[in-house]
Each structure stands twice: as structure tokens, then as C-alpha cells.
Amino acid sequence: MNEKASPDRLQGQLIATNVLIEAVLRILPAQTLKAIRQEFEKNGPEVGGLLLSTPGSEAMLDAYRSSIESTQDLLTQMHQKAIFRDSAAGKL
């Protein structure tokens, strides 16, 4: 299999990954989500920085940056929901 990467293909894969991530995040405890969010906030931009030094199109880098931002937003939203859910259930 010798498939070429394209911005549209990458964007589609990143969207599919975010859908999967959201499904998994919905069941995690708030403390776990907090740790994941903190780790992602540290590592996500680092990977973006590494991409700057590799050959590729600006569109692919933009797609990655967009994905990082949307994933950070998703993690924040899911963490907040988990805090309310766990608090209501007396787990915090």
C-alpha cells in the first residue's frame, strides 16, 4: 500500500480520530481527564513545532494546528462535564 497524504485526507482522519477520542473521553473520571488534558496541552504544540522542520505543505500544517485546537477545546469541554457528572455522583 503506497498511499499519498493529502490535506483533505489528513483532515478527514483527524476528524475521525476526534470522534473516537470524544467517545472514549465521555466515560473517563474527571481526574483522568485532567491529567490527559494537561499532557496534551504540553505535547500537542511540541509536535506542531516538529512539523515545522519537516518537508510538507502549509495546508497540512494548518490542518494539524486546527486539529490541536479542536482537541484542546474538546478536552476542556469533556473535563468540565466530567467534573459536574462526578460531583453530582459524589465521586469528587
PDB file of all heavy atoms in Angstrom, residues 32-72:
ATOM      1  N   THR A  32      -8.822  11.744  35.653  1.00  0.00           N
ATOM      2  CA  THR A  32      -8.112  11.191  34.498  1.00  0.00           C
ATOM      3  C   THR A  32      -8.137  12.176  33.337  1.00  0.00           C
ATOM      4  O   THR A  32      -7.129  12.395  32.671  1.00  0.00           O
ATOM      5  CB  THR A  32      -8.740   9.847  34.081  1.00  0.00           C
ATOM      6  OG1 THR A  32      -8.699   8.951  35.192  1.00  0.00           O
ATOM      7  CG2 THR A  32      -8.002   9.233  32.901  1.00  0.00           C
ATOM      8  N   LEU A  33      -9.294  12.789  33.116  1.00  0.00           N
ATOM      9  CA  LEU A  33      -9.400  13.783  32.049  1.00  0.00           C
ATOM     10  C   LEU A  33      -8.492  14.980  32.306  1.00  0.00           C
ATOM     11  O   LEU A  33      -7.896  15.526  31.377  1.00  0.00           O
ATOM     12  CB  LEU A  33     -10.844  14.250  31.902  1.00  0.00           C
ATOM     13  CG  LEU A  33     -11.736  13.315  31.104  1.00  0.00           C
ATOM     14  CD1 LEU A  33     -13.186  13.737  31.240  1.00  0.00           C
ATOM     15  CD2 LEU A  33     -11.323  13.294  29.654  1.00  0.00           C
ATOM     16  N   LYS A  34      -8.379  15.373  33.549  1.00  0.00           N
ATOM     17  CA  LYS A  34      -7.492  16.490  33.886  1.00  0.00           C
ATOM     18  C   LYS A  34      -6.052  16.153  33.514  1.00  0.00           C
ATOM     19  O   LYS A  34      -5.353  16.965  32.896  1.00  0.00           O
ATOM     20  CB  LYS A  34      -7.580  16.802  35.380  1.00  0.00           C
ATOM     21  CG  LYS A  34      -6.691  17.943  35.811  1.00  0.00           C
ATOM     22  CD  LYS A  34      -6.812  18.198  37.300  1.00  0.00           C
ATOM     23  CE  LYS A  34      -5.883  19.322  37.729  1.00  0.00           C
ATOM     24  NZ  LYS A  34      -5.970  19.543  39.192  1.00  0.00           N
ATOM     25  N   ALA A  35      -5.605  14.956  33.855  1.00  0.00           N
ATOM     26  CA  ALA A  35      -4.235  14.539  33.535  1.00  0.00           C
ATOM     27  C   ALA A  35      -4.021  14.456  32.028  1.00  0.00           C
ATOM     28  O   ALA A  35      -2.983  14.889  31.514  1.00  0.00           O
ATOM     29  CB  ALA A  35      -3.935  13.194  34.193  1.00  0.00           C
ATOM     30  N   ILE A  36      -4.989  13.926  31.315  1.00  0.00           N
ATOM     31  CA  ILE A  36      -4.891  13.823  29.855  1.00  0.00           C
ATOM     32  C   ILE A  36      -4.828  15.216  29.235  1.00  0.00           C
ATOM     33  O   ILE A  36      -4.020  15.477  28.351  1.00  0.00           O
ATOM     34  CB  ILE A  36      -6.077  13.022  29.283  1.00  0.00           C
ATOM     35  CG1 ILE A  36      -5.955  11.545  29.672  1.00  0.00           C
ATOM     36  CG2 ILE A  36      -6.164  13.171  27.763  1.00  0.00           C
ATOM     37  CD1 ILE A  36      -7.189  10.725  29.364  1.00  0.00           C
ATOM     38  N   ARG A  37      -5.690  16.103  29.696  1.00  0.00           N
ATOM     39  CA  ARG A  37      -5.723  17.468  29.166  1.00  0.00           C
ATOM     40  C   ARG A  37      -4.389  18.180  29.386  1.00  0.00           C
ATOM     41  O   ARG A  37      -3.854  18.813  28.476  1.00  0.00           O
ATOM     42  CB  ARG A  37      -6.858  18.246  29.825  1.00  0.00           C
ATOM     43  CG  ARG A  37      -7.151  19.548  29.136  1.00  0.00           C
ATOM     44  CD  ARG A  37      -8.346  20.226  29.755  1.00  0.00           C
ATOM     45  NE  ARG A  37      -7.859  21.453  30.348  1.00  0.00           N
ATOM     46  CZ  ARG A  37      -8.225  21.950  31.502  1.00  0.00           C
ATOM     47  NH1 ARG A  37      -9.124  21.335  32.226  1.00  0.00           N
ATOM     48  NH2 ARG A  37      -7.742  23.060  31.949  1.00  0.00           N
ATOM     49  N   GLN A  38      -3.837  18.043  30.576  1.00  0.00           N
ATOM     50  CA  GLN A  38      -2.557  18.686  30.874  1.00  0.00           C
ATOM     51  C   GLN A  38      -1.438  18.121  29.995  1.00  0.00           C
ATOM     52  O   GLN A  38      -0.605  18.871  29.480  1.00  0.00           O
ATOM     53  CB  GLN A  38      -2.201  18.513  32.352  1.00  0.00           C
ATOM     54  CG  GLN A  38      -3.080  19.330  33.255  1.00  0.00           C
ATOM     55  CD  GLN A  38      -2.871  19.012  34.719  1.00  0.00           C
ATOM     56  OE1 GLN A  38      -2.390  17.942  35.089  1.00  0.00           O
ATOM     57  NE2 GLN A  38      -3.248  19.955  35.580  1.00  0.00           N
ATOM     58  N   GLU A  39      -1.427  16.826  29.812  1.00  0.00           N
ATOM     59  CA  GLU A  39      -0.395  16.197  28.982  1.00  0.00           C
ATOM     60  C   GLU A  39      -0.537  16.617  27.520  1.00  0.00           C
ATOM     61  O   GLU A  39       0.439  16.899  26.837  1.00  0.00           O
ATOM     62  CB  GLU A  39      -0.479  14.680  29.114  1.00  0.00           C
ATOM     63  CG  GLU A  39       0.707  13.936  28.551  1.00  0.00           C
ATOM     64  CD  GLU A  39       2.000  14.195  29.302  1.00  0.00           C
ATOM     65  OE1 GLU A  39       1.975  14.548  30.498  1.00  0.00           O
ATOM     66  OE2 GLU A  39       3.061  14.048  28.667  1.00  0.00           O
ATOM     67  N   PHE A  40      -1.759  16.662  27.040  1.00  0.00           N
ATOM     68  CA  PHE A  40      -1.995  17.063  25.650  1.00  0.00           C
ATOM     69  C   PHE A  40      -1.609  18.512  25.418  1.00  0.00           C
ATOM     70  O   PHE A  40      -1.034  18.849  24.384  1.00  0.00           O
ATOM     71  CB  PHE A  40      -3.457  16.835  25.255  1.00  0.00           C
ATOM     72  CG  PHE A  40      -3.711  17.080  23.804  1.00  0.00           C
ATOM     73  CD1 PHE A  40      -3.430  16.093  22.873  1.00  0.00           C
ATOM     74  CD2 PHE A  40      -4.187  18.289  23.359  1.00  0.00           C
ATOM     75  CE1 PHE A  40      -3.636  16.312  21.517  1.00  0.00           C
ATOM     76  CE2 PHE A  40      -4.401  18.525  22.011  1.00  0.00           C
ATOM     77  CZ  PHE A  40      -4.128  17.528  21.092  1.00  0.00           C
ATOM     78  N   GLU A  41      -1.943  19.376  26.375  1.00  0.00           N
ATOM     79  CA  GLU A  41      -1.591  20.789  26.246  1.00  0.00           C
ATOM     80  C   GLU A  41      -0.080  20.982  26.164  1.00  0.00           C
ATOM     81  O   GLU A  41       0.399  21.914  25.532  1.00  0.00           O
ATOM     82  CB  GLU A  41      -2.179  21.597  27.405  1.00  0.00           C
ATOM     83  CG  GLU A  41      -3.664  21.805  27.280  1.00  0.00           C
ATOM     84  CD  GLU A  41      -4.284  22.494  28.485  1.00  0.00           C
ATOM     85  OE1 GLU A  41      -3.578  22.724  29.491  1.00  0.00           O
ATOM     86  OE2 GLU A  41      -5.480  22.791  28.420  1.00  0.00           O
ATOM     87  N   LYS A  42       0.659  20.082  26.784  1.00  0.00           N
ATOM     88  CA  LYS A  42       2.118  20.145  26.735  1.00  0.00           C
ATOM     89  C   LYS A  42       2.656  19.545  25.433  1.00  0.00           C
ATOM     90  O   LYS A  42       3.512  20.137  24.777  1.00  0.00           O
ATOM     91  CB  LYS A  42       2.710  19.400  27.940  1.00  0.00           C
ATOM     92  CG  LYS A  42       4.217  19.430  28.015  1.00  0.00           C
ATOM     93  CD  LYS A  42       4.719  18.735  29.258  1.00  0.00           C
ATOM     94  CE  LYS A  42       4.523  17.245  29.116  1.00  0.00           C
ATOM     95  NZ  LYS A  42       5.091  16.451  30.202  1.00  0.00           N
ATOM     96  N   ASN A  43       2.140  18.394  25.034  1.00  0.00           N
ATOM     97  CA  ASN A  43       2.703  17.659  23.896  1.00  0.00           C
ATOM     98  C   ASN A  43       2.170  18.075  22.530  1.00  0.00           C
ATOM     99  O   ASN A  43       2.885  18.005  21.543  1.00  0.00           O
ATOM    100  CB  ASN A  43       2.465  16.156  24.065  1.00  0.00           C
ATOM    101  CG  ASN A  43       3.268  15.590  25.207  1.00  0.00           C
ATOM    102  OD1 ASN A  43       4.323  16.103  25.544  1.00  0.00           O
ATOM    103  ND2 ASN A  43       2.755  14.560  25.841  1.00  0.00           N
ATOM    104  N   GLY A  44       0.922  18.488  22.443  1.00  0.00           N
ATOM    105  CA  GLY A  44       0.330  18.867  21.160  1.00  0.00           C
ATOM    106  C   GLY A  44       1.118  19.939  20.434  1.00  0.00           C
ATOM    107  O   GLY A  44       1.514  19.761  19.274  1.00  0.00           O
ATOM    108  N   PRO A  45       1.408  21.066  21.081  1.00  0.00           N
ATOM    109  CA  PRO A  45       2.192  22.110  20.413  1.00  0.00           C
ATOM    110  C   PRO A  45       3.629  21.683  20.092  1.00  0.00           C
ATOM    111  O   PRO A  45       4.198  22.131  19.106  1.00  0.00           O
ATOM    112  CB  PRO A  45       2.178  23.266  21.419  1.00  0.00           C
ATOM    113  CG  PRO A  45       0.936  23.037  22.223  1.00  0.00           C
ATOM    114  CD  PRO A  45       0.811  21.544  22.323  1.00  0.00           C
ATOM    115  N   GLU A  46       4.201  20.803  20.907  1.00  0.00           N
ATOM    116  CA  GLU A  46       5.555  20.314  20.624  1.00  0.00           C
ATOM    117  C   GLU A  46       5.600  19.589  19.281  1.00  0.00           C
ATOM    118  O   GLU A  46       6.524  19.773  18.504  1.00  0.00           O
ATOM    119  CB  GLU A  46       6.040  19.372  21.732  1.00  0.00           C
ATOM    120  CG  GLU A  46       6.480  20.067  22.987  1.00  0.00           C
ATOM    121  CD  GLU A  46       6.972  19.095  24.037  1.00  0.00           C
ATOM    122  OE1 GLU A  46       7.422  17.982  23.688  1.00  0.00           O
ATOM    123  OE2 GLU A  46       6.910  19.459  25.220  1.00  0.00           O
ATOM    124  N   VAL A  47       4.603  18.760  19.039  1.00  0.00           N
ATOM    125  CA  VAL A  47       4.553  18.034  17.768  1.00  0.00           C
ATOM    126  C   VAL A  47       4.396  19.020  16.617  1.00  0.00           C
ATOM    127  O   VAL A  47       5.032  18.891  15.578  1.00  0.00           O
ATOM    128  CB  VAL A  47       3.419  16.987  17.765  1.00  0.00           C
ATOM    129  CG1 VAL A  47       3.266  16.357  16.390  1.00  0.00           C
ATOM    130  CG2 VAL A  47       3.686  15.921  18.806  1.00  0.00           C
ATOM    131  N   GLY A  48       3.559  20.032  16.804  1.00  0.00           N
ATOM    132  CA  GLY A  48       3.401  21.065  15.779  1.00  0.00           C
ATOM    133  C   GLY A  48       4.717  21.737  15.473  1.00  0.00           C
ATOM    134  O   GLY A  48       5.042  22.002  14.312  1.00  0.00           O
ATOM    135  N   GLY A  49       5.519  22.001  16.489  1.00  0.00           N
ATOM    136  CA  GLY A  49       6.834  22.591  16.285  1.00  0.00           C
ATOM    137  C   GLY A  49       7.751  21.678  15.494  1.00  0.00           C
ATOM    138  O   GLY A  49       8.518  22.133  14.644  1.00  0.00           O
ATOM    139  N   LEU A  50       7.665  20.388  15.748  1.00  0.00           N
ATOM    140  CA  LEU A  50       8.475  19.433  14.995  1.00  0.00           C
ATOM    141  C   LEU A  50       8.060  19.387  13.534  1.00  0.00           C
ATOM    142  O   LEU A  50       8.891  19.216  12.643  1.00  0.00           O
ATOM    143  CB  LEU A  50       8.375  18.034  15.616  1.00  0.00           C
ATOM    144  CG  LEU A  50       9.011  17.864  16.990  1.00  0.00           C
ATOM    145  CD1 LEU A  50       8.687  16.487  17.553  1.00  0.00           C
ATOM    146  CD2 LEU A  50      10.510  18.087  16.932  1.00  0.00           C
ATOM    147  N   LEU A  51       6.770  19.539  13.286  1.00  0.00           N
ATOM    148  CA  LEU A  51       6.281  19.517  11.903  1.00  0.00           C
ATOM    149  C   LEU A  51       6.828  20.686  11.087  1.00  0.00           C
ATOM    150  O   LEU A  51       6.962  20.592   9.874  1.00  0.00           O
ATOM    151  CB  LEU A  51       4.758  19.531  11.869  1.00  0.00           C
ATOM    152  CG  LEU A  51       4.064  18.245  12.300  1.00  0.00           C
ATOM    153  CD1 LEU A  51       2.558  18.438  12.324  1.00  0.00           C
ATOM    154  CD2 LEU A  51       4.437  17.088  11.399  1.00  0.00           C
ATOM    155  N   LEU A  52       7.129  21.787  11.761  1.00  0.00           N
ATOM    156  CA  LEU A  52       7.672  22.947  11.050  1.00  0.00           C
ATOM    157  C   LEU A  52       9.023  22.630  10.407  1.00  0.00           C
ATOM    158  O   LEU A  52       9.379  23.226   9.397  1.00  0.00           O
ATOM    159  CB  LEU A  52       7.838  24.132  12.008  1.00  0.00           C
ATOM    160  CG  LEU A  52       6.554  24.800  12.472  1.00  0.00           C
ATOM    161  CD1 LEU A  52       6.866  25.838  13.539  1.00  0.00           C
ATOM    162  CD2 LEU A  52       5.835  25.451  11.305  1.00  0.00           C
ATOM    163  N   SER A  53       9.750  21.680  10.990  1.00  0.00           N
ATOM    164  CA  SER A  53      11.075  21.364  10.465  1.00  0.00           C
ATOM    165  C   SER A  53      11.066  20.182   9.486  1.00  0.00           C
ATOM    166  O   SER A  53      12.120  19.709   9.085  1.00  0.00           O
ATOM    167  CB  SER A  53      12.036  21.064  11.620  1.00  0.00           C
ATOM    168  OG  SER A  53      11.604  19.922  12.330  1.00  0.00           O
ATOM    169  N   THR A  54       9.877  19.702   9.115  1.00  0.00           N
ATOM    170  CA  THR A  54       9.785  18.606   8.149  1.00  0.00           C
ATOM    171  C   THR A  54       9.216  19.123   6.839  1.00  0.00           C
ATOM    172  O   THR A  54       8.462  20.087   6.824  1.00  0.00           O
ATOM    173  CB  THR A  54       8.885  17.473   8.678  1.00  0.00           C
ATOM    174  OG1 THR A  54       7.581  17.988   8.894  1.00  0.00           O
ATOM    175  CG2 THR A  54       9.424  16.882   9.970  1.00  0.00           C
ATOM    176  N   PRO A  55       9.575  18.477   5.732  1.00  0.00           N
ATOM    177  CA  PRO A  55       9.007  18.916   4.457  1.00  0.00           C
ATOM    178  C   PRO A  55       7.514  18.590   4.393  1.00  0.00           C
ATOM    179  O   PRO A  55       7.075  17.574   4.894  1.00  0.00           O
ATOM    180  CB  PRO A  55       9.785  18.112   3.417  1.00  0.00           C
ATOM    181  CG  PRO A  55      10.464  17.025   4.149  1.00  0.00           C
ATOM    182  CD  PRO A  55      10.518  17.384   5.590  1.00  0.00           C
ATOM    183  N   GLY A  56       6.770  19.481   3.816  1.00  0.00           N
ATOM    184  CA  GLY A  56       5.328  19.267   3.694  1.00  0.00           C
ATOM    185  C   GLY A  56       4.644  20.569   3.350  1.00  0.00           C
ATOM    186  O   GLY A  56       5.252  21.629   3.339  1.00  0.00           O
ATOM    187  N   SER A  57       3.394  20.469   3.129  1.00  0.00           N
ATOM    188  CA  SER A  57       2.663  21.652   2.705  1.00  0.00           C
ATOM    189  C   SER A  57       2.166  22.457   3.910  1.00  0.00           C
ATOM    190  O   SER A  57       1.959  21.925   4.994  1.00  0.00           O
ATOM    191  CB  SER A  57       1.478  21.261   1.831  1.00  0.00           C
ATOM    192  OG  SER A  57       0.478  20.682   2.615  1.00  0.00           O
ATOM    193  N   GLU A  58       1.961  23.710   3.679  1.00  0.00           N
ATOM    194  CA  GLU A  58       1.416  24.596   4.705  1.00  0.00           C
ATOM    195  C   GLU A  58      -0.012  24.172   5.055  1.00  0.00           C
ATOM    196  O   GLU A  58      -0.441  24.281   6.199  1.00  0.00           O
ATOM    197  CB  GLU A  58       1.442  26.042   4.212  1.00  0.00           C
ATOM    198  CG  GLU A  58       1.065  27.057   5.255  1.00  0.00           C
ATOM    199  CD  GLU A  58       2.060  27.148   6.411  1.00  0.00           C
ATOM    200  OE1 GLU A  58       3.258  26.911   6.210  1.00  0.00           O
ATOM    201  OE2 GLU A  58       1.614  27.464   7.530  1.00  0.00           O
ATOM    202  N   ALA A  59      -0.743  23.654   4.082  1.00  0.00           N
ATOM    203  CA  ALA A  59      -2.119  23.209   4.323  1.00  0.00           C
ATOM    204  C   ALA A  59      -2.155  22.051   5.318  1.00  0.00           C
ATOM    205  O   ALA A  59      -3.039  21.991   6.176  1.00  0.00           O
ATOM    206  CB  ALA A  59      -2.779  22.793   3.011  1.00  0.00           C
ATOM    207  N   MET A  60      -1.191  21.144   5.233  1.00  0.00           N
ATOM    208  CA  MET A  60      -1.155  20.021   6.164  1.00  0.00           C
ATOM    209  C   MET A  60      -0.813  20.514   7.566  1.00  0.00           C
ATOM    210  O   MET A  60      -1.384  20.044   8.555  1.00  0.00           O
ATOM    211  CB  MET A  60      -0.183  18.952   5.688  1.00  0.00           C
ATOM    212  CG  MET A  60      -0.680  18.256   4.428  1.00  0.00           C
ATOM    213  SD  MET A  60       0.404  16.968   3.864  1.00  0.00           S
ATOM    214  CE  MET A  60      -0.213  15.613   4.823  1.00  0.00           C
ATOM    215  N   LEU A  61       0.095  21.457   7.674  1.00  0.00           N
ATOM    216  CA  LEU A  61       0.435  22.020   8.966  1.00  0.00           C
ATOM    217  C   LEU A  61      -0.768  22.773   9.549  1.00  0.00           C
ATOM    218  O   LEU A  61      -1.054  22.658  10.747  1.00  0.00           O
ATOM    219  CB  LEU A  61       1.645  22.950   8.845  1.00  0.00           C
ATOM    220  CG  LEU A  61       2.187  23.522  10.144  1.00  0.00           C
ATOM    221  CD1 LEU A  61       2.556  22.421  11.134  1.00  0.00           C
ATOM    222  CD2 LEU A  61       3.404  24.396   9.864  1.00  0.00           C
ATOM    223  N   ASP A  62      -1.480  23.507   8.716  1.00  0.00           N
ATOM    224  CA  ASP A  62      -2.685  24.197   9.171  1.00  0.00           C
ATOM    225  C   ASP A  62      -3.737  23.204   9.663  1.00  0.00           C
ATOM    226  O   ASP A  62      -4.413  23.454  10.668  1.00  0.00           O
ATOM    227  CB  ASP A  62      -3.267  25.067   8.059  1.00  0.00           C
ATOM    228  CG  ASP A  62      -2.456  26.326   7.803  1.00  0.00           C
ATOM    229  OD1 ASP A  62      -1.619  26.700   8.668  1.00  0.00           O
ATOM    230  OD2 ASP A  62      -2.643  26.932   6.738  1.00  0.00           O
ATOM    231  N   ALA A  63      -3.878  22.091   8.959  1.00  0.00           N
ATOM    232  CA  ALA A  63      -4.838  21.063   9.372  1.00  0.00           C
ATOM    233  C   ALA A  63      -4.442  20.501  10.732  1.00  0.00           C
ATOM    234  O   ALA A  63      -5.297  20.278  11.598  1.00  0.00           O
ATOM    235  CB  ALA A  63      -4.902  19.945   8.331  1.00  0.00           C
ATOM    236  N   TYR A  64      -3.148  20.293  10.945  1.00  0.00           N
ATOM    237  CA  TYR A  64      -2.682  19.784  12.237  1.00  0.00           C
ATOM    238  C   TYR A  64      -2.965  20.806  13.339  1.00  0.00           C
ATOM    239  O   TYR A  64      -3.476  20.464  14.399  1.00  0.00           O
ATOM    240  CB  TYR A  64      -1.190  19.449  12.198  1.00  0.00           C
ATOM    241  CG  TYR A  64      -0.705  18.953  13.532  1.00  0.00           C
ATOM    242  CD1 TYR A  64      -0.971  17.656  13.933  1.00  0.00           C
ATOM    243  CD2 TYR A  64      -0.042  19.795  14.414  1.00  0.00           C
ATOM    244  CE1 TYR A  64      -0.581  17.209  15.177  1.00  0.00           C
ATOM    245  CE2 TYR A  64       0.354  19.360  15.656  1.00  0.00           C
ATOM    246  CZ  TYR A  64       0.089  18.060  16.034  1.00  0.00           C
ATOM    247  OH  TYR A  64       0.467  17.628  17.280  1.00  0.00           O
ATOM    248  N   ARG A  65      -2.647  22.057  13.082  1.00  0.00           N
ATOM    249  CA  ARG A  65      -2.884  23.100  14.090  1.00  0.00           C
ATOM    250  C   ARG A  65      -4.373  23.199  14.432  1.00  0.00           C
ATOM    251  O   ARG A  65      -4.730  23.351  15.598  1.00  0.00           O
ATOM    252  CB  ARG A  65      -2.378  24.448  13.572  1.00  0.00           C
ATOM    253  CG  ARG A  65      -0.881  24.560  13.579  1.00  0.00           C
ATOM    254  CD  ARG A  65      -0.460  25.920  13.059  1.00  0.00           C
ATOM    255  NE  ARG A  65       0.980  26.040  13.001  1.00  0.00           N
ATOM    256  CZ  ARG A  65       1.627  26.760  12.115  1.00  0.00           C
ATOM    257  NH1 ARG A  65       0.966  27.439  11.197  1.00  0.00           N
ATOM    258  NH2 ARG A  65       2.938  26.827  12.137  1.00  0.00           N
ATOM    259  N   SER A  66      -5.202  23.127  13.425  1.00  0.00           N
ATOM    260  CA  SER A  66      -6.648  23.168  13.643  1.00  0.00           C
ATOM    261  C   SER A  66      -7.095  21.985  14.493  1.00  0.00           C
ATOM    262  O   SER A  66      -7.930  22.132  15.397  1.00  0.00           O
ATOM    263  CB  SER A  66      -7.368  23.164  12.295  1.00  0.00           C
ATOM    264  OG  SER A  66      -8.747  23.089  12.479  1.00  0.00           O
ATOM    265  N   SER A  67      -6.525  20.832  14.225  1.00  0.00           N
ATOM    266  CA  SER A  67      -6.866  19.640  14.991  1.00  0.00           C
ATOM    267  C   SER A  67      -6.434  19.777  16.443  1.00  0.00           C
ATOM    268  O   SER A  67      -7.170  19.393  17.359  1.00  0.00           O
ATOM    269  CB  SER A  67      -6.206  18.410  14.361  1.00  0.00           C
ATOM    270  OG  SER A  67      -6.416  17.289  15.176  1.00  0.00           O
ATOM    271  N   ILE A  68      -5.256  20.333  16.668  1.00  0.00           N
ATOM    272  CA  ILE A  68      -4.769  20.535  18.034  1.00  0.00           C
ATOM    273  C   ILE A  68      -5.724  21.453  18.796  1.00  0.00           C
ATOM    274  O   ILE A  68      -6.117  21.166  19.925  1.00  0.00           O
ATOM    275  CB  ILE A  68      -3.339  21.134  18.032  1.00  0.00           C
ATOM    276  CG1 ILE A  68      -2.332  20.104  17.534  1.00  0.00           C
ATOM    277  CG2 ILE A  68      -2.939  21.638  19.412  1.00  0.00           C
ATOM    278  CD1 ILE A  68      -2.197  18.892  18.409  1.00  0.00           C
ATOM    279  N   GLU A  69      -6.109  22.546  18.173  1.00  0.00           N
ATOM    280  CA  GLU A  69      -7.015  23.490  18.829  1.00  0.00           C
ATOM    281  C   GLU A  69      -8.358  22.848  19.144  1.00  0.00           C
ATOM    282  O   GLU A  69      -8.894  23.014  20.245  1.00  0.00           O
ATOM    283  CB  GLU A  69      -7.215  24.724  17.951  1.00  0.00           C
ATOM    284  CG  GLU A  69      -5.991  25.606  17.856  1.00  0.00           C
ATOM    285  CD  GLU A  69      -6.166  26.739  16.860  1.00  0.00           C
ATOM    286  OE1 GLU A  69      -7.305  26.992  16.407  1.00  0.00           O
ATOM    287  OE2 GLU A  69      -5.153  27.375  16.523  1.00  0.00           O
ATOM    288  N   SER A  70      -8.907  22.107  18.185  1.00  0.00           N
ATOM    289  CA  SER A  70     -10.213  21.490  18.429  1.00  0.00           C
ATOM    290  C   SER A  70     -10.120  20.394  19.478  1.00  0.00           C
ATOM    291  O   SER A  70     -11.045  20.226  20.282  1.00  0.00           O
ATOM    292  CB  SER A  70     -10.827  20.958  17.130  1.00  0.00           C
ATOM    293  OG  SER A  70     -10.074  19.898  16.616  1.00  0.00           O
ATOM    294  N   THR A  71      -9.009  19.676  19.515  1.00  0.00           N
ATOM    295  CA  THR A  71      -8.838  18.635  20.529  1.00  0.00           C
ATOM    296  C   THR A  71      -8.684  19.262  21.906  1.00  0.00           C
ATOM    297  O   THR A  71      -9.247  18.763  22.881  1.00  0.00           O
ATOM    298  CB  THR A  71      -7.635  17.734  20.196  1.00  0.00           C
ATOM    299  OG1 THR A  71      -7.845  17.128  18.923  1.00  0.00           O
ATOM    300  CG2 THR A  71      -7.460  16.647  21.238  1.00  0.00           C
ATOM    301  N   GLN A  72      -7.953  20.362  21.999  1.00  0.00           N
ATOM    302  CA  GLN A  72      -7.835  21.048  23.289  1.00  0.00           C
ATOM    303  C   GLN A  72      -9.203  21.538  23.767  1.00  0.00           C
ATOM    304  O   GLN A  72      -9.535  21.397  24.949  1.00  0.00           O
ATOM    305  CB  GLN A  72      -6.849  22.210  23.193  1.00  0.00           C
ATOM    306  CG  GLN A  72      -5.413  21.750  23.118  1.00  0.00           C
ATOM    307  CD  GLN A  72      -4.420  22.890  22.905  1.00  0.00           C
ATOM    308  OE1 GLN A  72      -4.768  23.918  22.331  1.00  0.00           O
ATOM    309  NE2 GLN A  72      -3.202  22.687  23.344  1.00  0.00           N
TER     310      GLN A  72
END
